[in-house]
Structures are given as structure tokens and as C-alpha cells.
Amino acid sequence: MKARPLYGAQMWREVRHHLMSLPFGIAAFVFTVTVLSVGTALSVTVIGLPLLALGLRGCRALGAVARRRARADLGARLEEPDPLVASRPGTAGRVIAALTSGLNWRSALYCVLLLPWGVLSFTVTLAFLVVGWPLLPFVVRYLAVAHRVLVE
């Protein structure tokens, strides 16, 4: 097995990933909290549950982007989940399928947790990039392992 260089291309992809986790985490957090709170508040009306289902579909799409980022930057081996299939025809079936999908809710949780994780990984990576560069390869590698667990 060939040893990976400490300051190779993979390390710089991991650094980029951690630095970009903050803006991605802010956007995902704002989207998720806004759509899920508005959809939940309006769930007593006609548009509430479809809006909540649409928000969960958006969280699922953000989760797919996060999996692609993890595959490209962190070298994670993540499979794409099965597509969402409605058990009943029509809009009601699609809404029910979106509201009962475990992956949609896990993706929403990931979007919420990505903000504190993005702040932490951005801060630690930037600090070690500026003042602790001899330890940077080890720090970003351990942060990458933690992020792979989070994205799964």
C-alpha cells in the first residue's frame, strides 16, 4: 500500500471541504428552519402539509448535495438512496410519501446540525491553516472522518 503524502491533493480537498462547510451549513440551516417552521405552523391549513413536504424534499436535495461533496472531497463511499416513491396516486400520495420518509427527516436533521459543525470545522481548519500548519494534515483528516459519519 502506497503512503499518502501529508500535504497532498487529498488534504487540500479536505481543507476546502471544511472551509466550505460553513457557508453551506448556513444556507442549509436557514432553509430548513424557515421551511419546516412555516410548514409546521401552517399545518392546520390546506397549504401547511404540502409546504412541509416540499421543504422535506428540499432537505433531501441538500442531503444529496452533501453526499456528492463528501464523495468528491473526502473520498467517502456513499451510495445514493432509492428515489422517493408515492404509495398512493396524486398530490396526497406524494405529500404522504415525503412526510413519512425517514431519509427526508434525517436530511433535515443533517441540515440543522451542519451549522454548528460548519462553524467548528471552519474555525479549527482556519486556525490550523494559519498558525498550526504542521498539524494541519492530521486535524483535517480527523475532521473528515467525523464529517463522513455525520453525512451518512
Side-chain angles (χ1 to χ4, degrees), residues 59-93:
C59 291
R60 184 183 183 111
L62 287 170
V65 170
R67 283 188 296 279
R68 279 194 299 274
R69 286 182 63 227
R71 278 194 296 271
D73 294 341
L74 306 178
R77 293 183 181 100
L78 300 168
E79 296 180 15
E80 283 299 317
D82 295 332
L84 189 61
V85 178
S87 59
R88 294 173 45 184
T91 304

Side-chain angles (χ1 to χ4, degrees), residues 37-52:
S37 12
V38 170
T40 303
L42 293 176
S43 64
V44 295
T45 67
V46 175
I47 62 168
L49 291 179
L51 181 63
L52 187 60

Side-chain angles (χ1 to χ4, degrees), residues 68-132:
R68 279 194 299 274
R69 286 182 63 227
R71 278 194 296 271
D73 294 341
L74 306 178
R77 293 183 181 100
L78 300 168
E79 296 180 15
E80 283 299 317
D82 295 332
L84 189 61
V85 178
S87 59
R88 294 173 45 184
T91 304
R94 289 190 300 274
V95 168
I96 291 170
L99 291 175
T100 58
S101 169
L103 179 64
N104 289 357
W105 289 103
R106 282 193 318 271
S107 297
L109 178 62
Y110 172 79
C111 290
V112 170
L113 291 177
L114 192 56
L115 178 62
W117 174 253
V119 169
L120 176 73
S121 64
F122 177 86
T123 306
V124 169
T125 302
L126 191 61
F128 277 91
L129 189 61
V130 173
V131 294

